[in-house]
Amino acid sequence: MADKNLNLKARVPSSTSNDTIKKLIYSASILVKQLDSAVVKAKACRDLFTPEVIELRSQLSYLCVKSMGADPLQCRRRAEELLWKKCYYDVITSAKINGKKSPLSSMEKLFIGNHIEAGIVKFTELMQDVWRRLEDMDPSLKLQLNVLPLLEVKYQNYELSKETREDLMESAQKILVWLGDLSRYRNDLEISNSVITSERFYHQAILFNSNTGLPYNQLGTLTSHDPSRGFESIFYYTRSMKASKNFPGAEPNLKALLARLVTNEDKLISAFSQLFPKLVFVVKEDTTFEVSQLCQVTLGEIQKRLGSSENGSCNQLMDLASSVMMCTLTPTFATNNSQTAAIAFCCSLFAHVLNRVQEIFHMTSRDASYANGNQAHDLKYLDPNAKEEMVDELSDEEEEESKRAKLRRRKVASGSSDQEFSEEELFLDSNSEQESEDDEVLSDSGFHSAEAKVEPLLEIPHEATRILPIFKLLTDWFRVNVEIVQVSNQTIRKIWSTLADILNVFKRCQREIVTHHGTVPLEEDWKFYGVNSMSLVHAQIDFESPPAPSDVLILNSIRIERILQFGNWLASQDNEKGFQVVNGIYTCPAEAVGDKSEGSGAKADLVMRNMAHLWLKSEVQELERRLSPQQKRKKKTSFDFSGLSYVYLVPDVSALSNFTYLIKQVIKSQKLIIVVPDIVISEMDQLKRESAPVRECIRWLESCFRTGNRFIRAQRQNEHQVIPLLTYPKRKDKAHWTLFQILECCHYLDTNQRNVYKTSQNSPIVLFLTGDPVGETEQQTRAICNSIGVEYKFADSLMRKSKTKKR
């Protein structure tokens, strides 16, 4: 059999007739049926590895390879998928199912392990054949398949067909994904406890085509089993959903993962798992209050995590930020509420990161002053009276240098702008005005936008090293969202003012010369490799270059250099009175210059650190503006129900949820008794997750039933009566079944309560109120109501007829 495989193409000419291909397909179909039957009959894992079944798989593998050699253009894709599914995937899936019923024995694990290894060898051989074809087609193509096992295989001397480069690239990607799956199965079946090989295969598949969602979905599945990698798994599933060729199973996988992570012991993972569905999925109904609460809880946990020294905490935050960024980078014709909330969340996260970086450098520079013996400035934080004693100890040269430094500061401050900037406003906790000496303290700490004095270089603290990747990632996000930058320049100057101070500190940090590393991709760059929206940022990055060095100082230098480049870009965005670079110093006033009519010294409102809250506030204001005319009309409108002769009013779901105000007015009039059918309550309970009006109505009904009100109650257990001479719909027809249950309640009230109230036989005592009748259903419902003596009305019709204007 092996000799036949190696010399296959020598015997099959390139111009194989269609009859030969049909024979191959027919033979393969017979083997597929036999293998399917064998898998179904297998009661234990060992039944999958009998000599007969192994021979069937060997023959099918031979036919698949032969068909690919006979006509690669037409048969390659189908043959590869058939080889994967029937020879390997179905076998391993069946073994996993049987393993759940009873633990696998050591012999069964050995069978499966050997089968997986055989699959890796087979697909590696196919991969190298595809690779050779790609190299022959395009010699300039650089393919680094360093993740593949080093196996010596004999190339088959196939004649080059008319296969396109795209077909071969797609084939190579699928084979790499299958190699990753085979490696992952070893971990799932506890044959191996390492996932590194699987990850490397999946990442190699992404390099072939980053616009395909399948490899990202497989990475999400691989990482979802590790509780510590929850954020990473969320990102992979989100990337799979947002890919140009998305994977259909990614969305249900993400929903299942988020539902599982809600109960996680990690508060940040739990809070984010509740918030993220509101950002990634388009939900029809979502109150701004719910999103606001979830944002506040999540951002609060993020703030704690930024201050934590736990290993991997900042990597988790980067995966979190990347997931939310993917929600904002999806091209849409109109920005929906979910995307708007995601944008606001990213802005808020950026503000938290800026605040933390500033705190780190402020504290570090104070500690460095103590370590260097330069305590004169820092003691002023602790004891203002100690200043005179320390000044007396200064030498004459130090005093002279201090005077020259003060003189230089005055010149810079007077020449840079007509405004004076107070460092206390730049995210410092003090609101009182500081004297010139205190300004010098802040200048020595590095946080002074207009500081021109040459200061000693600062070391980058370890805490800042952990945060720099997410800092740089968020600056990349701002660069591809120019509209957000322009809006932010007008509304949240304080964030840009803080950024200016941080950039000035970065210029004083010790950095390596990284000119030759200017195009090296970093970890955060690989997160968005191939995303079209990030093409502007990645234009200067060469993803085929050698990986970034592992030296921490070099990595810090690269990130700081690119963050400074973002500052230069930000200054070029037509910011006449905003973010600027003046004499090499980044400046941005924390106060906005108002119009002359408003006074030149008017201050801008203080920036909210929680950007999500800022967005939600504007959303609420917009809703209030839209609803204000309706609210005014409601205040001037009353209802008169004295002309109604009914005793009972039975509403459906649409009438209760969409016309709750009308129902409340009916109760207030004390003219009718409202009976809410059980089926209506059940249906509202199912809809409460999707509809905010339904949730509000349920809360109101619970309050009414709890406190007790004789003019509204729920249907009693015996209050239903079958309607005669009618064919009932099946339970599968949910809408009609619900309608008939409501009508049974109406029929009971009309039949059993008419004698109690002694009304005329021709006068209906029950009013069935609906909110949204539709076409044929409306006519059918009206006919049934007439037959059982029940009045049928629309809620809006009742509202118009009963409405009266107050004088």
Side-chain angles (χ1 to χ4, degrees):
M1 184 68 67
D3 294 337
K4 291 181 180 180
N5 263 332
L6 293 177
N7 300 317
L8 173 65
K9 191 56 185 178
R11 301 195 316 271
V12 181
S14 59
S15 59
T16 305
S17 64
N18 292 331
D19 293 338
T20 304
I21 296 176
K22 289 180 180 179
K23 289 180 180 179
L24 291 173
I25 295 175
Y26 177 75
S27 301
S29 62
I30 295 177
L31 291 174
V32 166
K33 292 179 181 179
Q34 293 176 350
L35 282 172
D36 288 342
S37 177
V39 170
V40 171
K41 293 179 181 179
K43 297 181 180 180
C45 182
R46 60 179 176 272
D47 296 335
L48 299 170
F49 297 97
T50 60
E52 296 79 9
V53 178
I54 293 176
E55 179 62 23
L56 289 175
R57 286 197 294 265
S58 177
Q59 292 179 13
L60 181 60
S61 175
Y62 169 75
L63 290 178
C64 288
V65 174
K66 187 173 182 178
S67 62
M68 282 187 281
D71 191 347
L73 189 61
Q74 296 183 11
C75 299
R76 176 181 288 277
R77 180 179 302 179
R78 176 59 181 161
E80 287 173 347
E81 292 178 353
L82 199 63
L83 175 64
W84 161 251
K85 183 169 177 60
K86 298 303 177 182
C87 293
Y88 297 99
Y89 177 78
D90 286 352
V91 177
I92 298 171
T93 302
S94 179
K96 291 169 68 175
I97 294 174
N98 291 325
K100 292 180 180 179
K101 298 178 182 178
S102 60
L104 298 176
S105 64
S106 58
M107 183 60 67
E108 289 174 331
K109 287 186 178 182
L110 180 62
F111 283 147
I112 299 173
N114 291 337
H115 187 64
I116 291 175
E117 293 295 336
I120 292 176
V121 172
K122 171 60 69 177
F123 285 109
T124 299
E125 182 178 352
L126 292 177
M127 182 67 229
Q128 302 224 15
D129 178 64
V130 172
W131 182 12
R132 184 184 65 83
R133 287 173 169 268
L134 281 170
E135 287 183 328
D136 292 341
M137 185 178 295
D138 186 3
S140 62
L141 186 63
K142 297 179 180 179
L143 295 177
Q144 298 178 357
L145 299 181
N146 56 334
V147 300
L148 296 176
L150 297 177
L151 299 174
E152 294 184 1
V153 296
K154 295 183 179 180
Y155 294 130
Q156 302 175 21
N157 296 321
Y158 293 160
E159 295 180 5
L160 292 179
S161 65
K162 295 182 180 180
E163 289 180 287
T164 64
R165 181 176 184 272
E166 290 72 20
D167 292 336
L168 289 173
M169 294 287 281
E170 181 181 356
S171 180
Q173 185 181 50
K174 286 192 300 184
I175 293 174
L176 284 169
V177 170
W178 294 334
L179 285 168
D181 289 344
L182 289 171
S183 301
R184 175 166 57 89
Y185 294 150
R186 290 190 298 185
N187 186 67
D188 294 343
L189 295 169
E190 298 181 353
I191 299 173
S192 171
N193 58 359
S194 175
V195 298
I196 296 177
T197 306
S198 306
E199 286 189 79
R200 294 173 67 192
F201 278 125
Y202 292 142
H203 283 295
Q204 188 73 56
I206 291 172
L207 291 179
F208 273 89
N209 187 359
S210 60
N211 294 321
T212 303
L214 177 60
Y216 293 104
N217 179 80
Q218 304 305 87
L219 280 169
T221 303
L222 180 68
T223 55
S224 63
H225 300 294
D226 188 349
S228 64
R229 303 180 70 177
F231 289 113
E232 189 176 357
S233 185
I234 291 173
F235 167 73
Y236 285 133
Y237 281 138
T238 307
R239 182 74 195 269
S240 179
M241 286 175 51
K242 303 296 183 180
S244 302
K245 187 179 178 182
N246 64 339
F247 181 69
E251 182 172 343
N253 289 341
L254 178 59
K255 290 181 178 179
L257 174 66
L258 293 172
R260 190 170 74 246
L261 292 179
V262 166
T263 59
N264 195 285
E265 296 179 356
D266 190 323
K267 293 182 179 180
L268 178 57
I269 294 180
S270 177
F272 184 71
S273 299
Q274 299 176 58
L275 170 65
F276 194 62
K278 313 292 183 183
L279 307 181
V280 68
F281 304 121
V282 179
V283 184
K284 295 181 179 180
E285 296 286 346
D286 253 330
T287 60
T288 55
F289 177 77
E290 287 180 312
V291 180
S292 174
Q293 290 292 97
L294 293 172
C295 282
Q296 290 177 6
V297 173
T298 304
L299 289 169
E301 293 298 327
I302 288 175
Q303 190 171 10
K304 296 178 183 177
R305 193 63 59 89
L306 284 171
S308 171
S309 59
E310 295 180 4
N311 293 330
S313 60
C314 286
N315 289 335
Q316 291 182 337
L317 291 180
M318 188 165 67
D319 290 322
L320 181 152
S322 301
S323 301
V324 181
M325 286 168 59
M326 282 302 305
C327 301
T328 67
L329 296 176
T330 306
T332 55
F333 293 103
T335 303
N336 52 47
N337 288 342
S338 299
Q339 192 172 4
T340 305
I343 291 172
F345 188 90
C346 288
C347 294
S348 177
L349 180 59
F350 186 63
H352 281 74
V353 171
L354 288 179
N355 188 30
R356 177 57 185 159
V357 171
Q358 192 175 42
E359 290 176 357
I360 291 172
F361 275 98
H362 184 65
M363 296 171 59
T364 303
S365 47
R366 288 172 58 184
D367 295 339
S369 297
Y370 282 112
N372 295 330
N374 185 15
Q375 299 141 339
H377 296 305
D378 297 290
L379 283 176
K380 284 179 279 190
Y381 284 101
L382 305 175
D383 187 5
N385 297 326
K387 178 178 59 178
E388 298 179 358
E389 299 178 4
M390 295 301 300
V391 170
D392 292 338
E393 297 178 4
L394 292 175
S395 65
D396 295 340
E397 293 181 359
E398 290 173 333
E399 290 179 356
E400 190 66 19
E401 178 61 25
S402 178
K403 291 178 181 179
R404 286 197 296 268
K406 292 180 182 179
L407 182 59
R408 285 195 296 270
R409 293 191 186 105
R410 293 192 188 101
K411 289 180 180 180
V412 172
S414 61
S416 60
S417 174
D418 294 333
Q419 303 180 45
E420 294 182 1
F421 311 134
S422 59
E423 291 75 20
E424 303 83 38
E425 294 179 351
L426 305 178
F427 284 95
L428 298 179
D429 295 331
S430 175
N431 293 325
S432 61
E433 295 184 355
Q434 303 291 328
E435 298 182 2
S436 59
E437 292 86 353
D438 294 329
D439 289 335
E440 296 169 24
V441 174
L442 294 177
S443 300
D444 292 336
S445 299
F447 290 98
H448 199 295
S449 297
E451 179 58 66
K453 178 184 175 182
V454 178
E455 299 287 352
L457 295 178
L458 298 175
E459 291 186 4
I460 302 175
H462 174 69
E463 293 83 356
T465 299
R466 295 167 54 247
I467 300 178
L468 281 179
I470 188 174
F471 191 163
K472 188 259 177 187
L473 182 67
L474 289 169
T475 59
D476 290 344
W477 178 78
F478 275 108
R479 290 193 66 176
V480 299
N481 290 275
V482 182
E483 298 83 0
I484 300 175
V485 170
Q486 293 173 348
V487 172
S488 299
N489 283 336
Q490 300 173 6
T491 58
I492 50 172
R493 291 176 176 270
K494 182 147 286 191
I495 286 184
W496 300 129
S497 178
T498 308
L499 176 63
D501 294 330
I502 292 176
L503 295 182
N504 289 328
V505 175
F506 281 171
K507 293 181 67 175
R508 290 179 46 206
C509 291
Q510 293 180 0
R511 303 199 304 275
E512 296 287 328
I513 299 176
V514 292
T515 307
H516 53 289
H517 295 301
T519 61
V520 170
L522 301 173
E523 179 185 359
E524 54 271 25
D525 297 321
W526 283 109
K527 290 283 185 184
F528 292 89
Y529 168 70
V531 177
N532 294 332
S533 302
M534 299 290 286
S535 58
L536 179 64
V537 177
H538 292 166
Q540 305 299 325
I541 296 177
D542 181 12
F543 285 96
E544 294 182 357
S545 64
S550 58
D551 186 85
V552 176
L553 184 57
I554 294 178
L555 290 175
N556 290 343
S557 302
I558 296 174
R559 290 188 171 104
I560 288 178
E561 186 64 29
R562 294 182 184 179
I563 292 173
L564 291 174
Q565 292 175 5
F566 167 74
N568 297 333
W569 172 85
L570 188 61
S572 66
Q573 300 302 304
D574 298 330
N575 303 319
E576 296 181 359
K577 299 178 181 179
F579 197 96
Q580 300 179 30
V581 180
V582 180
N583 297 327
I585 303 298
Y586 297 95
T587 63
C588 183
E591 299 176 0
V593 180
D595 297 335
K596 293 182 180 180
S597 58
E598 298 175 353
S600 58
K603 288 187 175 182
D605 294 334
L606 294 177
V607 64
M608 294 184 179
R609 294 188 181 183
N610 190 338
M611 292 301 301
H613 178 69
L614 180 63
W615 165 76
L616 292 166
K617 182 179 179 182
S618 64
E619 287 288 314
V620 172
Q621 290 175 348
E622 178 65 15
L623 290 173
E624 290 177 350
R625 183 186 66 78
R626 293 179 181 178
L627 296 176
S628 57
Q630 300 178 13
Q631 292 174 349
K632 291 179 181 178
R633 287 196 297 270
K634 287 179 181 178
K635 292 180 180 178
K636 298 179 181 179
T637 303
S638 63
F639 294 89
D640 182 13
F641 301 104
S642 59
L644 300 180
S645 59
Y646 317 110
V647 178
Y648 294 102
L649 186 152
V650 180
D652 64 1
V653 175
S654 59
L656 263 178
S657 58
N658 299 332
F659 295 89
T660 309
Y661 180 76
L662 175 64
I663 301 296
K664 291 180 179 179
Q665 292 298 317
V666 172
I667 296 173
K668 186 177 180 181
S669 68
Q670 300 184 358
K671 299 293 184 181
L672 304 175
I673 298 174
I674 297 176
V675 178
V676 183
D678 290 341
I679 191 69
V680 171
I681 296 176
S682 300
E683 188 174 355
M684 291 177 69
D685 189 58
Q686 296 177 4
L687 296 174
K688 65 183 180 181
R689 297 192 178 189
E690 303 176 1
S691 173
V694 169
R695 289 193 294 272
E696 294 295 330
C697 185
I698 289 177
R699 295 189 190 101
W700 171 70
L701 284 176
E702 289 176 347
S703 175
C704 292
F705 295 158
R706 184 171 56 251
T707 58
N709 190 323
R710 61 187 296 261
F711 293 100
I712 181 171
R713 64 176 177 83
Q715 176 187 4
R716 298 190 179 103
Q717 188 174 3
N718 64 323
E719 290 182 337
H720 59 87
Q721 184 171 337
V722 177
I723 303 174
L725 305 178
L726 283 180
T727 302
Y728 273 62
K730 296 182 179 180
R731 286 181 178 269
K732 296 180 180 179
D733 190 354
K734 187 176 180 181
H736 287 84
W737 176 262
T738 301
L739 174 63
F740 270 70
Q741 298 303 305
I742 297 174
L743 292 176
E744 281 191 356
C745 177
C746 295
H747 185 40
Y748 174 87
L749 294 174
D750 178 81
T751 303
N752 293 274
Q753 302 298 322
R754 183 175 294 276
N755 294 331
V756 176
Y757 291 95
K758 298 180 180 180
T759 59
S760 172
Q761 292 295 323
N762 297 326
S763 177
I765 66 170
V766 180
L767 171 62
F768 175 29
L769 193 67
T770 184
D772 54 354
V774 181
E776 298 177 357
T777 305
E778 173 189 343
Q779 298 176 2
Q780 180 185 5
T781 306
R782 190 178 297 278
I784 297 174
C785 289
N786 290 336
S787 67
I788 61 177
V790 173
E791 186 73 13
Y792 180 63
K793 279 185 179 293
F794 308 150
D796 55 353
S797 174
L798 178 63
M799 181 179 290
R800 287 195 302 269
K801 292 181 180 180
S802 304
K803 188 183 298 183
T804 60
K805 297 286 184 178
K806 284 187 177 181
R807 296 181 181 178

